[in-house]
């Protein structure tokens, strides 16, 4: 007798399925029913209109009553069914894997968990089994569970499988919530062991003809597709290009992939490319590329009808993480190279930091200019390099810095080989901004060094003390380096206690290949290599001073000045003392000064303007004496003593400045 029908099961509306399965016209509903003489309830399939499923699977009548995932779960919720399921059809090119009794009191079988990493997998309704979906035809076969082994069954074009949406931890950890990937080698091995067959493995590449696409048509397809597709879809694009070009189209795949933030680097792609076409199973062809591109509006009028190319496709040698032997690793990994020998390696990422007023931005530009000109820096051998300098603050000051350098050295700005970003600066916390930056770099580059000055200004709104926020920004820096081939150098501030290193999250130093600290005591300055991976030079110090250069006069006849770096012997500088905590009024005055400076942090702020701005933020209690002016005066004097403000006088009266950095 059938179980009682529930009036509604609204929890089914919250179900989520991976994108490759959602739109398939093969979804239905099911209900647990117990029949006479049977102890165990059966999962009986129903169509979304409420009628019971019967007849021949895949027949015209059957197909006409199957629906999409969203329609099926809505119908199941409204009609009180126990769940939804997917009826497998051969044209889907998908096999469902069913593991019975693989979850015990000790947890999920580690063997099952490991073989399903990288594709969508979930727990069964009972919680004792696991369901997974992979690309290809592994047949319709079954191996029963016994005391020594779990049960294993495959569904390719018969039957239906229930769907719970309760993902395995490994699915979430590998980012496979929306991936239906080729079966792993261990799944194929299990098929061979249990069924003496790994599915349709008698297909060869020669049996799949090429489409004859021109390079223009291929680029037309790639232009509408994101290079940050899910891993399996991105991999199929490469496989299709390999088949279509007979192995000669690597640059097409690499150039397109390099536009994405997930680009793993040319060497990884070359390893993948060489593995394509080595299997005897049916290959992925350019039909998958054209089909995907047309879904995104490419509009290619090409006949792509062919047997499904989604058969068993083994992962390339090395897998997703490119596992390789030590011998292969040594052969492909290049020894350390230098931009400035012993100081700045041609690595992935570095940081140059110091206190406000230490001169860190001046020395960062000086290093960039030496590289651009191909000259030595501070008696250290340098190489010719192209530099992209992101001026995220102090644009006017940077303009003067270039003019002062060229004036002093007798070179032209054209000789510097430095490109500048200043109008719209990238946001290292936003994927869209990173994508735009990478696109611009590919157009204007290539570059050897990309300077971000300052790190705080290219991570607006991010919490500098948050491992999550900073980790995300640093991850994007690494992607920028991998795509562009350039080293990313972050110009950053010291923390409140300069002896503890760069400001913010402690993991910043650990993520760097090189760390350079700029310190100052009175007029003496020093750059110290405080961290250097895989290279000699850690602990070395390089002395420098800042020399004023007069660039001209303004409308009032006052000198327009900037500074250049002059090298000198490194001196033993006094260690910076831990700064005193700023009071509330001091912080308010300092903030008001920054606001009045605007974009030009080096501008002069009339003392009376600052005083009036600060006074307006203070409240005088009724009946009390107005002491706001004297309180602000004391706060300004305190900030001057701490080196956080500079005081001067000109024809317009007293003024304040933020120390040059």
């Amino acid at each position: 007798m059938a179980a009682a029908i529930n009036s509604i099961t609204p929890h089914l509306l919250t179900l989520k399925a991976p994108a490759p399965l959602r739109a398939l016209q093969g979804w239905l509903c099911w209900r647990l029913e117990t029949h006479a003489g049977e102890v165990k309830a059966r999962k009986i399939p129903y169509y979304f209109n409420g009628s019971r499923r019967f007849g021949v699977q895949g027949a015209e009548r059957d197909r006409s009553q199957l629906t999409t995932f969203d329609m099926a779960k809505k119908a199941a919720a409204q009609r009180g069914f126990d769940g939804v399921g997917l009826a497998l059809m051969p044209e889907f090119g998908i096999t469902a894997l069913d593991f019975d009794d693989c979850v015990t009191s000790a947890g999920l079988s580690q063997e099952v968990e490991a073989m399903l990493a990288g594709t969508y997998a979930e727990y069964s309704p009972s919680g004792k089994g696991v369901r997974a979906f992979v690309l290809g035809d592994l047949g319709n076969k079954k191996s029963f569970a016994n005391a020594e082994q779990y049960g294993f069954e495959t569904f390719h074009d018969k039957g239906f499988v229930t769907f719970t949406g309760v993902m395995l931890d490994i699915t979430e950890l590998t980012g496979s919530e929306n991936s239906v990937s080729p079966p792993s080698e261990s799944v194929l091995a299990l098929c061979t062991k249990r069924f003496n067959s790994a599915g349709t493995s008698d297909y060869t590449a020669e049996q799949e003809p090429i489409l004859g696409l021109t390079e223009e048509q291929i680029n037309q397809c790639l232009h509408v597709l994101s290079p940050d597709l899910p891993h399996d879809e991105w991999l199929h694009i490469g496989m299709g290009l390999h088949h279509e070009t007979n192995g000669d189209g690597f640059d097409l795949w690499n150039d397109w992939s390099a536009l994405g933030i997930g680009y793993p680097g040319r060497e990884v792609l070359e390893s993948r490319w060489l593995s394509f076409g080595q299997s005897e199973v049916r290959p992925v062809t350019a039909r998958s590329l054209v089909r995907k591109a047309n879904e995104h509006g490419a509009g290619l009028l090409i006949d792509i009808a062919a047997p499904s190319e989604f058969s068993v496709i083994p992962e390339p040698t090395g897998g997703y993480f490119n596992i390789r032997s030590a011998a292969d690793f040594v052969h492909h990994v290049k020894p350390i190279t230098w931009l400035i020998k012993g100081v700045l390696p041609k690595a992935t990422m570095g940081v140059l930091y110091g206190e406000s007023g230490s001169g860190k931005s001046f020395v960062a530009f000086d290093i960039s200019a030496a590289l651009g000109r191909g000259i030595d820096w501070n008696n250290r051998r340098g190489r010719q390099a192209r530099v992209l300098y992101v001026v995220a603050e102090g644009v006017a000051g940077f303009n003067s810095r270039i003019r002062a350098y060229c004036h002093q050295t007798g070179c032209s700005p054209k000789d510097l080989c430095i490109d500048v970003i200043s109008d719209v600066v990238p946001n290292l916390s936003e994927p869209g901004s990173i994508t735009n930056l990478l696109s611009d770099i590919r157009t204007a580059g290539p570059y050897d060094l990309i300077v971000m000055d300052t790190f705080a200004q290219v991570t607006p709104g991010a919490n500098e003390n948050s491992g999550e926020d900073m980790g995300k920004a640093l991850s994007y820096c690494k992607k920028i380096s991998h795509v562009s081939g350039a080293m990313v150098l972050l110009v950053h501030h010291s923390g409140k206690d300069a002896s503890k290193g760069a400001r913010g999250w402690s993991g910043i130093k650990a993520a760097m290949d090189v760390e350079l600290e700029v310190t100052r005591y009175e007029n003496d300055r020093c750059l110290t290599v405080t961290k250097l991976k895989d290279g000699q030079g850690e602990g070395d110090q390089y002395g420098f001073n800042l020399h004023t250069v007069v660039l001209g006069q303004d409308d009032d006849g006052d000198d327009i000045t900037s500074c250049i770096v002059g090298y000198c012997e490194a001196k033993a500088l006094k260690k910076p003392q831990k700064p005193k905590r700023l009071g509330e009024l001091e912080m308010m005055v300092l903030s008001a000064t920054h606001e009045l400076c605007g974009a030009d942090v080096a501008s002069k702020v009339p003392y009376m303007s600052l005083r009036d701005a600060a006074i307006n933020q203070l409240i005088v209690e009724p009946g009390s004496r107005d002491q706001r002016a004297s309180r602000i005066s004391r706060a300004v004097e305190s900030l001057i003593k701490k080196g956080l403000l500079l005081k001067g006088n000109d024809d317009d009266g007293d003024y304040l400045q933020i120390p040059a950095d």
Side-chain angles (χ1 to χ4, degrees):
M1 180 177 179
I5 298 177
N6 299 322
S7 58
I8 189 171
T9 47
H11 66 279
L12 295 177
L13 292 173
T14 64
L15 281 181
K16 295 181 180 180
L21 301 182
R22 283 199 297 267
L24 295 177
Q25 201 76 17
W27 290 90
L28 41 71
C29 311
W30 61 269
R31 178 181 293 121
L32 279 174
E33 297 181 1
T34 303
H35 294 259
E38 297 180 353
V39 177
K40 187 176 180 180
R42 297 184 183 182
K43 301 178 185 71
I44 304 301
Y46 287 79
Y47 297 117
F48 75 100
N49 60 14
S51 63
R52 183 167 174 171
R53 188 189 191 204
F54 68 94
V56 178
Q57 176 164 327
E60 183 177 351
R61 182 187 180 282
D62 179 57
R63 289 173 179 271
S64 67
Q65 297 183 84
L66 297 173
T67 187
T68 63
F69 173 75
D70 288 335
M71 285 290 293
K73 71 175 184 179
K74 182 178 180 181
Q78 292 176 341
R79 297 179 181 276
F81 288 108
D82 291 311
V84 298
L86 178 65
L88 281 303
M89 298 292 172
E91 67 271 18
F92 293 171
I94 290 173
T95 296
L97 311 177
D98 191 41
F99 299 83
D100 290 330
D101 297 328
C102 62
V103 182
T104 65
S105 58
L108 173 62
S109 162
Q110 293 184 358
E111 177 184 354
V112 172
E113 182 180 51
M115 73 174 66
L116 299 181
T119 198
Y120 181 87
E122 62 173 25
Y123 289 101
S124 65
S126 68
K128 297 180 180 180
V130 165
R131 182 86 21 71
F133 299 87
V134 296
L135 295 175
D137 179 5
L138 297 181
N140 305 281
K141 300 178 181 181
K142 185 170 184 176
S143 170
F144 290 95
N146 56 42
E148 298 178 356
Q149 66 180 23
Y150 49 78
F152 178 53
E153 190 171 6
T154 59
F155 300 84
H156 176 65
D157 55 18
K158 292 183 180 179
F160 84 101
V161 291
T162 58
F163 187 89
T164 65
V166 184
M167 290 186 299
L168 302 188
D169 289 343
I170 193 67
T171 300
E172 187 170 3
L173 287 172
T174 57
S176 306
E177 300 94 330
N178 279 305
S179 295
V180 176
S181 303
S184 64
E185 291 293 339
S186 52
V187 166
L188 298 178
L190 181 64
C191 289
T192 301
K193 179 180 178 181
R194 296 288 185 97
F195 312 138
N196 295 319
S197 171
T200 52
S201 59
D202 55 350
Y203 220 89
T204 61
E206 289 74 14
Q207 291 175 278
E208 285 288 351
I210 65 172
L211 296 179
L213 298 177
T214 65
E215 184 171 333
E216 181 180 359
Q217 289 174 318
I218 291 175
N219 284 324
Q220 184 178 345
C221 290
L222 295 176
H223 179 72
V224 300
L225 297 176
S226 168
D228 291 311
L229 289 168
H231 176 259
D232 55 301
E233 296 181 31
W234 166 79
L235 199 63
H236 290 160
I237 299 299
M239 291 176 172
L241 288 174
H242 185 279
H243 181 269
E244 181 69 14
T245 63
N246 196 28
D248 294 330
F250 172 76
D251 286 338
L252 294 170
W253 189 43
N254 181 64
D255 290 348
W256 170 72
S257 298
L259 293 173
I261 61 175
Y263 179 57
R266 185 181 181 91
E267 287 187 2
V268 173
L269 261 70
E270 286 177 341
S271 175
R272 300 285 182 88
W273 186 264
L274 292 174
S275 72
F276 296 160
Q278 300 300 311
S279 174
E280 294 184 353
V281 301
R282 178 185 292 127
V284 171
T285 73
R287 292 183 179 86
S288 59
L289 168 65
V290 174
R291 183 182 295 112
K292 191 74 176 177
N294 282 341
E295 290 175 0
H296 288 75
L300 282 177
L301 301 177
I302 295 175
D303 181 13
I304 58 174
S308 170
E309 58 270 355
F310 296 115
S311 280
V312 181
I313 305 165
E315 282 287 309
T317 303
Y320 181 85
F321 294 101
N322 192 30
I323 298 172
R324 47 187 165 164
S325 69
D328 183 58
F329 177 79
V330 171
H331 178 71
H332 285 93
V333 175
K334 298 179 181 178
I336 187 170
T337 57
W338 297 96
L339 293 173
I340 298 176
K341 191 150 188 192
V343 179
L344 196 63
K346 182 67 179 347
T348 299
M349 189 163 50
V351 62
L352 186 156
Y353 76 94
E355 291 183 288
S356 179
S358 63
K360 57 182 178 289
S361 289
F362 282 99
V363 78
F365 170 73
D366 191 69
I367 287 173
S368 300
L371 290 171
R373 296 174 63 198
I375 63 175
D376 292 351
W377 179 85
N378 209 339
N379 296 319
R380 301 300 298 181
R381 186 184 299 277
R383 54 165 285 191
Q384 179 79 47
R386 282 199 69 194
V387 180
L388 176 63
Y389 205 111
V390 179
V391 186
E393 63 181 31
V395 176
F398 188 80
N399 181 293
S400 298
R401 208 167 297 161
I402 295 176
R403 292 170 56 199
Y405 182 92
C406 292
H407 178 275
Q408 192 70 14
T409 60
C411 70
S412 163
K414 293 181 180 179
D415 299 328
L416 299 181
C417 288
I418 296 177
D419 288 345
V420 179
I421 291 177
S422 62
D423 298 330
V424 180
V425 299
N427 184 340
L428 296 183
S429 301
E430 293 294 335
S433 181
I434 301 302
T435 300
N436 291 335
L437 175 62
L438 292 174
S439 179
D440 286 353
I441 287 173
R442 285 187 57 80
T443 301
Y447 297 105
D448 300 288
L449 179 67
I450 300 174
V451 181
M452 302 282 186
D453 188 359
T454 61
F455 187 36
Q457 292 302 314
V458 293
T459 53
N463 182 351
E464 287 188 341
N465 295 305
S466 165
E468 180 178 356
D469 287 2
M470 292 296 98
K472 180 179 180 182
L474 295 177
S475 175
Y476 283 138
C477 285
K478 290 181 180 179
K479 293 182 187 300
I480 292 169
S481 177
H482 289 157
V483 172
S484 66
M487 179 182 181
V488 176
L489 180 65
L490 306 173
V491 179
H492 195 29
H493 298 283
S494 298
K496 291 182 179 179
D497 183 354
S499 64
K500 293 184 178 180
R503 189 172 73 190
W505 180 49
S506 61
I508 291 177
K509 180 171 184 175
M512 297 298 142
D513 297 299
V514 61
E515 181 188 67
L516 306 173
E517 180 186 18
V518 178
T519 51
R520 171 191 178 189
Y521 180 70
E522 296 180 348
N523 293 324
D524 296 321
R525 304 167 195 267
C526 183
L527 181 143
T528 304
V529 182
T530 51
K531 176 184 177 181
L532 188 57
K533 278 187 178 179
D534 302 325
Q536 297 179 356
E538 186 169 310
D540 288 351
Q541 295 186 316
Y542 303 89
F544 70 97
N545 289 314
L546 296 184
H547 302 298
T548 301
V549 176
V550 178
L551 301 174
Q553 284 74 41
D554 61 18
D555 293 339
D556 297 322
D558 295 327
D559 288 342
I560 300 173
T561 65
S562 186
C563 293
I564 64 166
V565 171
Y567 310 139
C568 63
E569 183 180 352
K571 298 179 181 179
L573 304 183
K574 290 186 177 181
K575 291 185 178 180
Q577 297 179 350
K578 186 174 182 179
K580 296 179 181 179
R581 185 183 298 274
L582 293 182
E584 183 177 347
L585 187 56
E586 290 175 316
M587 289 190 290
M588 186 267 288
V589 169
L590 200 58
S591 175
T593 308
H594 277 276
E595 290 181 7
L596 290 171
C597 285
D600 184 4
V601 294
S603 63
K604 299 176 182 179
V605 176
Y607 175 77
M608 297 303 293
S609 298
L610 173 63
R611 192 195 69 171
D612 292 343
I615 281 177
N616 291 333
Q617 299 184 48
L618 298 178
I619 299 174
V620 179
E621 296 294 334
S624 63
R625 183 181 174 186
D626 187 352
Q627 296 181 322
R628 291 178 294 177
S630 60
R631 291 178 61 201
I632 291 169
S633 177
R634 288 194 298 271
V636 168
E637 290 302 322
S638 177
L639 290 169
I640 292 172
K641 288 181 180 180
K642 293 176 180 179
L644 299 177
L645 285 180
L646 298 177
K647 187 176 182 180
N649 182 276
D650 57 19
D651 293 340
D652 296 323
D654 291 341
Y655 64 84
L656 297 169
Q657 276 184 303
I658 297 170
D661 191 0

